[in-house]
Amino acid sequence: MIDVQHLNKAFKGKPAVQDVSFSITRGEMVGYLGPNGAGKSTTIKVLTGLLVPDSGVVSVGGLVPWRERRRHVARLGAVFGQRTTLWWDLPVRESLELLRHVYRVPREKFVENLRAFTELLELGPFLNTPARSLSLGQRMRADLAAALLHDPELLFLDEPTVGLDVVAKERIREFVRHINAQRGVTVLLTTHDLGDVERLARRVMIIDTGRLLYDGDLPELQARYGSARELIVDFEEAPATAPLPGLEVLEHSGPRVRYAFSGPAAVPIALVTALAPVRDITVKEPDIEPTIRRIYEGKLLAAHPTSTNPDRSKCLFSQIP
């Protein structure tokens, strides 16, 4: 679906993207992460055809975005958290009708999609409300519907849940999961809300100072750079505090003991159940936010850039010292 090889782009002599290579297959949902100024927006603008790179090869669905832009944009959708595609003074329904004509969506398909999106995104209460009167959560849901009315093959999401409350965020995440799973829409997600990444994308790419530093599975990133997993055990009664191999006691309060461990959970669970009768066991995975923060602040990937799947990323970071 997307193939990027040795992409370079600079502004006034300052590199924004340097030798970036990756590929995304049809139907994937990928998180594209990095601090502000890392090169995420430049990459997205090249992929949408808004920017022409200085060098490199870019193909999206077999098209070169900036050369075949008309055909290209007809096959993609985009939602940017700080911008809207809706007409400010028109009711949402009329904005969607206008977009139907822009994308030449057949009337039957428009009605079918509008019905489905109205149900999935709960648009009904504000379909006849002007965009200027919508809450942020309502506007984002309407923008998602607008971006997908024409059945695009590819969806770019840039900060789709920024500023939203917990309920609104989860509704949007559920919708994105649905269109990815049920309609096969390829999704490239850029966000600073790492809850979006944890709930939506198994694969992540991390870019910093214009260089792609990681391309692989999120669980592998957690295992390599994250904090330890936790095992929370409620024993029938307070157990003896004998040390167990591979387990560090973080907290011991009566019959409840909180351990830290790494690797698969089967061995630690076997050890604690052999120690004393157990009432309940919970395995707590580390949050991604502290992991990403450690990577950015400690420049961990700059020292040891990696890809867990070499076939995905052909720039093997040879230029990074």
Side-chain angles (χ1 to χ4, degrees):
M1 182 69 188
I2 299 177
D3 187 41
V4 176
Q5 298 299 321
H6 306 295
L7 173 64
N8 290 278
K9 181 66 181 178
F11 297 99
K12 297 182 179 180
K14 183 178 180 180
V17 174
Q18 304 180 68
D19 199 32
V20 166
S21 298
F22 62 85
S23 61
I24 297 174
T25 59
R26 191 176 301 277
E28 273 197 280
M29 182 146 52
V30 180
Y32 193 35
L33 310 179
N36 290 331
K40 302 187 303 296
S41 294
T42 300
T43 308
I44 297 300
K45 287 176 181 177
V46 170
L47 292 176
T48 55
L50 292 173
L51 283 178
V52 179
D54 298 329
S55 63
V57 177
V58 178
S59 173
V60 181
L63 301 178
V64 177
W66 57 92
R67 290 181 186 156
E68 302 164 276
R69 194 151 179 260
R70 189 170 218 170
R71 290 176 59 199
H72 175 59
V73 297
R75 302 189 309 180
L76 64 85
V79 176
F80 298 97
Q82 303 299 330
R83 301 180 183 89
T84 183
T85 55
L86 305 172
W87 280 262
W88 203 237
D89 293 312
L90 291 182
V92 171
R93 188 188 300 273
E94 291 186 25
S95 285
L96 298 179
E97 277 280 0
L98 281 171
L99 288 169
R100 177 179 79 84
H101 292 288
V102 169
Y103 286 103
R104 300 178 181 177
V105 180
R107 165 62 62 179
E108 298 78 12
K109 175 56 69 174
F110 171 77
V111 171
E112 177 187 335
N113 281 344
L114 183 57
R115 183 185 301 116
F117 297 159
T118 298
E119 179 180 348
L120 290 166
L121 291 166
E122 299 181 15
L123 304 178
F126 55 87
L127 270 177
N128 295 313
T129 303
R132 58 180 162 75
S133 300
L134 300 179
S135 69
L136 180 58
Q138 290 172 333
R139 182 176 66 75
M140 289 303 301
R141 283 144 61 194
D143 272 321
L144 271 171
L148 291 158
L149 271 179
H150 56 296
D151 289 331
E153 301 171 8
L154 173 63
L155 177 64
F156 293 104
L157 294 177
D158 182 31
E159 300 285 356
T161 63
V162 63
L164 303 186
D165 61 44
V166 173
V167 175
K169 284 182 181 183
E170 195 53 39
R171 183 179 289 117
I172 285 175
R173 290 166 182 163
E174 283 292 337
F175 179 73
V176 173
R177 275 194 292 265
H178 175 86
I179 60 101
N180 174 252
Q182 301 301 318
R183 298 190 175 213
V185 177
T186 306
V187 180
L188 183 60
L189 166 70
T190 63
T191 181
H192 290 289
D193 188 333
L194 298 176
D196 292 344
V197 180
E198 286 186 301
R199 288 166 176 77
L200 294 176
R202 180 177 176 85
R203 175 185 169 192
V204 294
M205 300 188 299
I206 297 179
I207 188 171
D208 196 8
T209 60
R211 297 187 184 276
L212 189 62
L213 301 181
Y214 181 87
D215 180 1
D217 291 339
L218 181 58
E220 173 69 18
L221 184 73
Q222 285 279 54
R224 187 171 300 186
Y225 298 105
S227 55
R229 304 167 77 189
E230 290 186 15
L231 191 67
I232 303 170
V233 185
D234 290 312
F235 292 94
E236 293 289 351
E237 56 185 45
T241 56
L244 297 172
L247 288 171
E248 176 190 354
V249 176
L250 299 176
E251 182 182 0
H252 188 172
S253 177
R256 169 168 286 194
V257 184
R258 190 162 59 92
Y259 300 95
F261 73 98
S262 59
V267 173
I269 289 174
L271 289 171
V272 298
T273 53
L275 179 66
V278 170
R279 187 170 68 249
D280 189 36
I281 294 179
T282 302
V283 177
K284 182 181 177 184
E285 301 292 342
D287 292 334
I288 187 178
E289 188 163 353
T291 302
I292 299 296
R293 190 184 305 118
R294 285 181 64 243
I295 289 171
Y296 291 164
E297 292 175 354
K299 302 291 184 183
L300 302 182
L301 288 173
H304 303 286
T306 183
S307 170
T308 60
N309 186 344
D311 291 335
R312 282 179 175 164
S313 181
K314 296 184 178 62
C315 75
L316 299 179
F317 315 105
S318 58
Q319 295 187 18
I320 301 179

PDB file of all heavy atoms in Angstrom, residues 13 21 29 52 58 75 89 102 110 115 123 150 158 163 169 182 192-193 195 212 222-223 243 252 260 280 291 294 317:
ATOM      1  N   GLY A  13      17.901  24.305   4.011  1.00  0.00           N
ATOM      2  CA  GLY A  13      19.149  23.626   4.324  1.00  0.00           C
ATOM      3  C   GLY A  13      19.123  22.782   5.584  1.00  0.00           C
ATOM      4  O   GLY A  13      20.087  22.072   5.883  1.00  0.00           O
ATOM      5  N   SER A  21      12.968   5.028   5.302  1.00  0.00           N
ATOM      6  CA  SER A  21      12.423   3.954   4.472  1.00  0.00           C
ATOM      7  C   SER A  21      11.487   3.099   5.313  1.00  0.00           C
ATOM      8  O   SER A  21      11.812   2.753   6.439  1.00  0.00           O
ATOM      9  CB  SER A  21      13.535   3.062   3.913  1.00  0.00           C
ATOM     10  OG  SER A  21      14.409   3.778   3.077  1.00  0.00           O
ATOM     11  N   MET A  29      -2.641  -1.095  10.536  1.00  0.00           N
ATOM     12  CA  MET A  29      -2.849   0.118  11.319  1.00  0.00           C
ATOM     13  C   MET A  29      -1.554   0.374  12.090  1.00  0.00           C
ATOM     14  O   MET A  29      -1.153  -0.431  12.921  1.00  0.00           O
ATOM     15  CB  MET A  29      -4.034  -0.028  12.266  1.00  0.00           C
ATOM     16  CG  MET A  29      -4.330   1.216  13.061  1.00  0.00           C
ATOM     17  SD  MET A  29      -6.094   1.497  13.426  1.00  0.00           S
ATOM     18  CE  MET A  29      -6.580  -0.057  14.134  1.00  0.00           C
ATOM     19  N   VAL A  52       6.833  17.835  -2.139  1.00  0.00           N
ATOM     20  CA  VAL A  52       7.675  17.045  -3.033  1.00  0.00           C
ATOM     21  C   VAL A  52       8.997  16.819  -2.330  1.00  0.00           C
ATOM     22  O   VAL A  52       9.646  17.779  -1.896  1.00  0.00           O
ATOM     23  CB  VAL A  52       7.898  17.770  -4.370  1.00  0.00           C
ATOM     24  CG1 VAL A  52       8.807  16.941  -5.274  1.00  0.00           C
ATOM     25  CG2 VAL A  52       6.571  18.057  -5.053  1.00  0.00           C
ATOM     26  N   VAL A  58       8.734   7.252  -3.422  1.00  0.00           N
ATOM     27  CA  VAL A  58       7.510   7.118  -2.633  1.00  0.00           C
ATOM     28  C   VAL A  58       6.389   6.631  -3.538  1.00  0.00           C
ATOM     29  O   VAL A  58       6.136   7.216  -4.604  1.00  0.00           O
ATOM     30  CB  VAL A  58       7.100   8.462  -1.987  1.00  0.00           C
ATOM     31  CG1 VAL A  58       5.794   8.311  -1.215  1.00  0.00           C
ATOM     32  CG2 VAL A  58       8.199   8.972  -1.064  1.00  0.00           C
ATOM     33  N   ARG A  75      -8.460   8.555  -3.240  1.00  0.00           N
ATOM     34  CA  ARG A  75      -8.405   7.244  -2.586  1.00  0.00           C
ATOM     35  C   ARG A  75      -7.972   7.321  -1.131  1.00  0.00           C
ATOM     36  O   ARG A  75      -7.736   6.291  -0.508  1.00  0.00           O
ATOM     37  CB  ARG A  75      -7.436   6.323  -3.343  1.00  0.00           C
ATOM     38  CG  ARG A  75      -7.789   6.127  -4.808  1.00  0.00           C
ATOM     39  CD  ARG A  75      -6.947   5.053  -5.443  1.00  0.00           C
ATOM     40  NE  ARG A  75      -5.526   5.266  -5.194  1.00  0.00           N
ATOM     41  CZ  ARG A  75      -4.572   4.461  -5.642  1.00  0.00           C
ATOM     42  NH1 ARG A  75      -4.895   3.378  -6.339  1.00  0.00           N
ATOM     43  NH2 ARG A  75      -3.307   4.710  -5.403  1.00  0.00           N
ATOM     44  N   ASP A  89     -20.517  27.193   8.768  1.00  0.00           N
ATOM     45  CA  ASP A  89     -21.870  27.682   9.022  1.00  0.00           C
ATOM     46  C   ASP A  89     -22.960  26.745   8.509  1.00  0.00           C
ATOM     47  O   ASP A  89     -24.141  27.057   8.632  1.00  0.00           O
ATOM     48  CB  ASP A  89     -22.059  29.071   8.378  1.00  0.00           C
ATOM     49  CG  ASP A  89     -21.194  30.126   9.059  1.00  0.00           C
ATOM     50  OD1 ASP A  89     -21.208  30.171  10.303  1.00  0.00           O
ATOM     51  OD2 ASP A  89     -20.488  30.874   8.359  1.00  0.00           O
ATOM     52  N   VAL A 102     -18.198  16.497  -4.204  1.00  0.00           N
ATOM     53  CA  VAL A 102     -16.759  16.686  -4.421  1.00  0.00           C
ATOM     54  C   VAL A 102     -16.107  15.359  -4.805  1.00  0.00           C
ATOM     55  O   VAL A 102     -15.299  15.288  -5.741  1.00  0.00           O
ATOM     56  CB  VAL A 102     -16.093  17.261  -3.147  1.00  0.00           C
ATOM     57  CG1 VAL A 102     -14.568  17.199  -3.275  1.00  0.00           C
ATOM     58  CG2 VAL A 102     -16.554  18.695  -2.899  1.00  0.00           C
ATOM     59  N   PHE A 110     -23.664   6.874  -0.741  1.00  0.00           N
ATOM     60  CA  PHE A 110     -23.688   7.941   0.254  1.00  0.00           C
ATOM     61  C   PHE A 110     -24.716   7.644   1.343  1.00  0.00           C
ATOM     62  O   PHE A 110     -24.427   7.758   2.539  1.00  0.00           O
ATOM     63  CB  PHE A 110     -24.011   9.278  -0.418  1.00  0.00           C
ATOM     64  CG  PHE A 110     -24.259  10.406   0.546  1.00  0.00           C
ATOM     65  CD1 PHE A 110     -23.195  11.031   1.187  1.00  0.00           C
ATOM     66  CD2 PHE A 110     -25.551  10.837   0.810  1.00  0.00           C
ATOM     67  CE1 PHE A 110     -23.421  12.065   2.084  1.00  0.00           C
ATOM     68  CE2 PHE A 110     -25.782  11.873   1.711  1.00  0.00           C
ATOM     69  CZ  PHE A 110     -24.720  12.489   2.340  1.00  0.00           C
ATOM     70  N   ARG A 115     -25.774   6.248   6.805  1.00  0.00           N
ATOM     71  CA  ARG A 115     -26.558   5.474   7.775  1.00  0.00           C
ATOM     72  C   ARG A 115     -25.631   4.707   8.716  1.00  0.00           C
ATOM     73  O   ARG A 115     -25.818   4.717   9.937  1.00  0.00           O
ATOM     74  CB  ARG A 115     -27.490   4.505   7.052  1.00  0.00           C
ATOM     75  CG  ARG A 115     -28.395   3.721   8.003  1.00  0.00           C
ATOM     76  CD  ARG A 115     -29.219   2.669   7.276  1.00  0.00           C
ATOM     77  NE  ARG A 115     -30.068   3.267   6.249  1.00  0.00           N
ATOM     78  CZ  ARG A 115     -29.942   3.027   4.951  1.00  0.00           C
ATOM     79  NH1 ARG A 115     -28.994   2.195   4.510  1.00  0.00           N
ATOM     80  NH2 ARG A 115     -30.750   3.602   4.094  1.00  0.00           N
ATOM     81  N   LEU A 123     -24.126  10.146  15.260  1.00  0.00           N
ATOM     82  CA  LEU A 123     -24.200  11.487  14.670  1.00  0.00           C
ATOM     83  C   LEU A 123     -25.603  12.078  14.727  1.00  0.00           C
ATOM     84  O   LEU A 123     -25.756  13.291  14.564  1.00  0.00           O
ATOM     85  CB  LEU A 123     -23.756  11.443  13.199  1.00  0.00           C
ATOM     86  CG  LEU A 123     -22.371  10.887  12.869  1.00  0.00           C
ATOM     87  CD1 LEU A 123     -22.153  10.897  11.362  1.00  0.00           C
ATOM     88  CD2 LEU A 123     -21.282  11.676  13.562  1.00  0.00           C
ATOM     89  N   HIS A 150     -16.331   8.502   1.037  1.00  0.00           N
ATOM     90  CA  HIS A 150     -16.041   8.026  -0.318  1.00  0.00           C
ATOM     91  C   HIS A 150     -15.306   6.688  -0.320  1.00  0.00           C
ATOM     92  O   HIS A 150     -14.711   6.306  -1.337  1.00  0.00           O
ATOM     93  CB  HIS A 150     -15.228   9.075  -1.089  1.00  0.00           C
ATOM     94  CG  HIS A 150     -13.945   9.481  -0.422  1.00  0.00           C
ATOM     95  ND1 HIS A 150     -13.893  10.118   0.795  1.00  0.00           N
ATOM     96  CD2 HIS A 150     -12.646   9.333  -0.805  1.00  0.00           C
ATOM     97  CE1 HIS A 150     -12.636  10.346   1.122  1.00  0.00           C
ATOM     98  NE2 HIS A 150     -11.860   9.862   0.178  1.00  0.00           N
ATOM     99  N   ASP A 158      -4.223  12.389  12.323  1.00  0.00           N
ATOM    100  CA  ASP A 158      -3.240  13.199  13.026  1.00  0.00           C
ATOM    101  C   ASP A 158      -3.899  13.768  14.281  1.00  0.00           C
ATOM    102  O   ASP A 158      -4.776  14.627  14.195  1.00  0.00           O
ATOM    103  CB  ASP A 158      -2.742  14.325  12.119  1.00  0.00           C
ATOM    104  CG  ASP A 158      -1.675  15.179  12.794  1.00  0.00           C
ATOM    105  OD1 ASP A 158      -0.925  14.639  13.624  1.00  0.00           O
ATOM    106  OD2 ASP A 158      -1.601  16.386  12.507  1.00  0.00           O
ATOM    107  N   GLY A 163      -7.626  16.728  23.027  1.00  0.00           N
ATOM    108  CA  GLY A 163      -8.586  17.573  23.731  1.00  0.00           C
ATOM    109  C   GLY A 163      -9.913  16.931  24.073  1.00  0.00           C
ATOM    110  O   GLY A 163     -10.788  17.602  24.622  1.00  0.00           O
ATOM    111  N   LYS A 169     -13.042   9.895  23.376  1.00  0.00           N
ATOM    112  CA  LYS A 169     -11.862   9.204  22.854  1.00  0.00           C
ATOM    113  C   LYS A 169     -12.167   7.746  22.551  1.00  0.00           C
ATOM    114  O   LYS A 169     -11.812   7.223  21.491  1.00  0.00           O
ATOM    115  CB  LYS A 169     -10.717   9.270  23.874  1.00  0.00           C
ATOM    116  CG  LYS A 169     -10.013  10.604  23.955  1.00  0.00           C
ATOM    117  CD  LYS A 169      -8.861  10.534  24.955  1.00  0.00           C
ATOM    118  CE  LYS A 169      -8.169  11.878  25.052  1.00  0.00           C
ATOM    119  NZ  LYS A 169      -7.010  11.829  25.966  1.00  0.00           N
ATOM    120  N   GLN A 182     -13.360  -4.122   9.607  1.00  0.00           N
ATOM    121  CA  GLN A 182     -14.497  -4.508   8.768  1.00  0.00           C
ATOM    122  C   GLN A 182     -14.382  -4.020   7.331  1.00  0.00           C
ATOM    123  O   GLN A 182     -14.898  -4.663   6.417  1.00  0.00           O
ATOM    124  CB  GLN A 182     -15.802  -3.962   9.387  1.00  0.00           C
ATOM    125  CG  GLN A 182     -16.068  -4.469  10.790  1.00  0.00           C
ATOM    126  CD  GLN A 182     -16.169  -5.977  10.848  1.00  0.00           C
ATOM    127  OE1 GLN A 182     -16.789  -6.603   9.980  1.00  0.00           O
ATOM    128  NE2 GLN A 182     -15.571  -6.592  11.866  1.00  0.00           N
ATOM    129  N   HIS A 192       0.214  12.170  20.044  1.00  0.00           N
ATOM    130  CA  HIS A 192       0.956  12.274  21.295  1.00  0.00           C
ATOM    131  C   HIS A 192       0.190  11.602  22.426  1.00  0.00           C
ATOM    132  O   HIS A 192       0.710  11.509  23.544  1.00  0.00           O
ATOM    133  CB  HIS A 192       1.217  13.743  21.650  1.00  0.00           C
ATOM    134  CG  HIS A 192       2.199  14.415  20.745  1.00  0.00           C
ATOM    135  ND1 HIS A 192       3.548  14.125  20.755  1.00  0.00           N
ATOM    136  CD2 HIS A 192       2.037  15.353  19.780  1.00  0.00           C
ATOM    137  CE1 HIS A 192       4.180  14.868  19.860  1.00  0.00           C
ATOM    138  NE2 HIS A 192       3.281  15.616  19.250  1.00  0.00           N
ATOM    139  N   ASP A 193      -1.041  11.167  22.141  1.00  0.00           N
ATOM    140  CA  ASP A 193      -1.832  10.441  23.132  1.00  0.00           C
ATOM    141  C   ASP A 193      -1.498   8.963  22.993  1.00  0.00           C
ATOM    142  O   ASP A 193      -2.001   8.277  22.100  1.00  0.00           O
ATOM    143  CB  ASP A 193      -3.329  10.685  22.909  1.00  0.00           C
ATOM    144  CG  ASP A 193      -4.187  10.100  24.025  1.00  0.00           C
ATOM    145  OD1 ASP A 193      -3.742   9.107  24.658  1.00  0.00           O
ATOM    146  OD2 ASP A 193      -5.294  10.608  24.261  1.00  0.00           O
ATOM    147  N   GLY A 195      -2.368   6.533  24.636  1.00  0.00           N
ATOM    148  CA  GLY A 195      -3.521   5.648  24.791  1.00  0.00           C
ATOM    149  C   GLY A 195      -4.079   5.251  23.440  1.00  0.00           C
ATOM    150  O   GLY A 195      -4.549   4.114  23.255  1.00  0.00           O
ATOM    151  N   LEU A 212      14.281   7.603  11.038  1.00  0.00           N
ATOM    152  CA  LEU A 212      13.438   6.526  11.536  1.00  0.00           C
ATOM    153  C   LEU A 212      14.296   5.613  12.403  1.00  0.00           C
ATOM    154  O   LEU A 212      15.235   4.978  11.927  1.00  0.00           O
ATOM    155  CB  LEU A 212      12.844   5.735  10.362  1.00  0.00           C
ATOM    156  CG  LEU A 212      11.775   4.708  10.721  1.00  0.00           C
ATOM    157  CD1 LEU A 212      10.565   5.372  11.347  1.00  0.00           C
ATOM    158  CD2 LEU A 212      11.365   3.921   9.475  1.00  0.00           C
ATOM    159  N   GLN A 222       8.060  -2.468  24.157  1.00  0.00           N
ATOM    160  CA  GLN A 222       7.841  -2.477  25.600  1.00  0.00           C
ATOM    161  C   GLN A 222       8.814  -3.418  26.291  1.00  0.00           C
ATOM    162  O   GLN A 222       9.388  -3.096  27.332  1.00  0.00           O
ATOM    163  CB  GLN A 222       6.399  -2.923  25.902  1.00  0.00           C
ATOM    164  CG  GLN A 222       5.345  -1.874  25.624  1.00  0.00           C
ATOM    165  CD  GLN A 222       5.238  -0.870  26.762  1.00  0.00           C
ATOM    166  OE1 GLN A 222       6.224  -0.270  27.156  1.00  0.00           O
ATOM    167  NE2 GLN A 222       4.048  -0.684  27.271  1.00  0.00           N
ATOM    168  N   ALA A 223       8.982  -4.608  25.713  1.00  0.00           N
ATOM    169  CA  ALA A 223       9.858  -5.600  26.335  1.00  0.00           C
ATOM    170  C   ALA A 223      11.300  -5.123  26.367  1.00  0.00           C
ATOM    171  O   ALA A 223      12.041  -5.378  27.314  1.00  0.00           O
ATOM    172  CB  ALA A 223       9.758  -6.922  25.584  1.00  0.00           C
ATOM    173  N   PRO A 243      12.635 -15.273  49.187  1.00  0.00           N
ATOM    174  CA  PRO A 243      12.866 -14.763  47.826  1.00  0.00           C
ATOM    175  C   PRO A 243      12.538 -15.823  46.783  1.00  0.00           C
ATOM    176  O   PRO A 243      12.766 -17.015  46.988  1.00  0.00           O
ATOM    177  CB  PRO A 243      14.360 -14.425  47.827  1.00  0.00           C
ATOM    178  CG  PRO A 243      14.949 -15.271  48.902  1.00  0.00           C
ATOM    179  CD  PRO A 243      13.895 -15.398  49.960  1.00  0.00           C
ATOM    180  N   HIS A 252       4.565  -5.434  49.907  1.00  0.00           N
ATOM    181  CA  HIS A 252       4.013  -6.577  50.649  1.00  0.00           C
ATOM    182  C   HIS A 252       3.101  -6.011  51.727  1.00  0.00           C
ATOM    183  O   HIS A 252       3.562  -5.406  52.691  1.00  0.00           O
ATOM    184  CB  HIS A 252       5.139  -7.409  51.262  1.00  0.00           C
ATOM    185  CG  HIS A 252       4.658  -8.687  51.872  1.00  0.00           C
ATOM    186  ND1 HIS A 252       5.511  -9.657  52.343  1.00  0.00           N
ATOM    187  CD2 HIS A 252       3.406  -9.166  52.095  1.00  0.00           C
ATOM    188  CE1 HIS A 252       4.810 -10.669  52.819  1.00  0.00           C
ATOM    189  NE2 HIS A 252       3.534 -10.381  52.680  1.00  0.00           N
ATOM    190  N   ALA A 260       7.703  -7.546  40.696  1.00  0.00           N
ATOM    191  CA  ALA A 260       8.156  -7.134  39.367  1.00  0.00           C
ATOM    192  C   ALA A 260       8.860  -8.319  38.728  1.00  0.00           C
ATOM    193  O   ALA A 260       9.569  -9.076  39.398  1.00  0.00           O
ATOM    194  CB  ALA A 260       9.116  -5.952  39.466  1.00  0.00           C
ATOM    195  N   ASP A 280      -6.277 -14.762  44.153  1.00  0.00           N
ATOM    196  CA  ASP A 280      -6.407 -14.028  42.879  1.00  0.00           C
ATOM    197  C   ASP A 280      -5.020 -13.609  42.395  1.00  0.00           C
ATOM    198  O   ASP A 280      -4.129 -13.323  43.199  1.00  0.00           O
ATOM    199  CB  ASP A 280      -7.296 -12.792  43.056  1.00  0.00           C
ATOM    200  CG  ASP A 280      -7.629 -12.122  41.733  1.00  0.00           C
ATOM    201  OD1 ASP A 280      -7.808 -12.865  40.741  1.00  0.00           O
ATOM    202  OD2 ASP A 280      -7.708 -10.888  41.670  1.00  0.00           O
ATOM    203  N   THR A 291       7.572   4.413  28.859  1.00  0.00           N
ATOM    204  CA  THR A 291       8.542   3.807  27.943  1.00  0.00           C
ATOM    205  C   THR A 291       8.977   4.796  26.877  1.00  0.00           C
ATOM    206  O   THR A 291      10.178   4.985  26.627  1.00  0.00           O
ATOM    207  CB  THR A 291       7.939   2.559  27.281  1.00  0.00           C
ATOM    208  OG1 THR A 291       7.541   1.630  28.282  1.00  0.00           O
ATOM    209  CG2 THR A 291       8.938   1.900  26.341  1.00  0.00           C
ATOM    210  N   ARG A 294      11.103   7.570  28.332  1.00  0.00           N
ATOM    211  CA  ARG A 294      12.481   7.136  28.569  1.00  0.00           C
ATOM    212  C   ARG A 294      13.274   7.111  27.264  1.00  0.00           C
ATOM    213  O   ARG A 294      14.448   7.486  27.215  1.00  0.00           O
ATOM    214  CB  ARG A 294      12.495   5.738  29.201  1.00  0.00           C
ATOM    215  CG  ARG A 294      12.120   5.699  30.658  1.00  0.00           C
ATOM    216  CD  ARG A 294      12.176   4.281  31.210  1.00  0.00           C
ATOM    217  NE  ARG A 294      13.541   3.771  31.167  1.00  0.00           N
ATOM    218  CZ  ARG A 294      13.929   2.730  30.443  1.00  0.00           C
ATOM    219  NH1 ARG A 294      13.052   2.097  29.678  1.00  0.00           N
ATOM    220  NH2 ARG A 294      15.177   2.320  30.483  1.00  0.00           N
ATOM    221  N   PHE A 317      19.653   2.127   9.159  1.00  0.00           N
ATOM    222  CA  PHE A 317      20.213   3.060  10.110  1.00  0.00           C
ATOM    223  C   PHE A 317      21.738   3.147  10.019  1.00  0.00           C
ATOM    224  O   PHE A 317      22.412   3.428  10.991  1.00  0.00           O
ATOM    225  CB  PHE A 317      19.796   2.690  11.549  1.00  0.00           C
ATOM    226  CG  PHE A 317      18.342   2.351  11.650  1.00  0.00           C
ATOM    227  CD1 PHE A 317      17.948   1.041  11.777  1.00  0.00           C
ATOM    228  CD2 PHE A 317      17.384   3.336  11.594  1.00  0.00           C
ATOM    229  CE1 PHE A 317      16.616   0.720  11.861  1.00  0.00           C
ATOM    230  CE2 PHE A 317      16.044   3.015  11.685  1.00  0.00           C
ATOM    231  CZ  PHE A 317      15.665   1.711  11.816  1.00  0.00           C
TER     232      PHE A 317
END
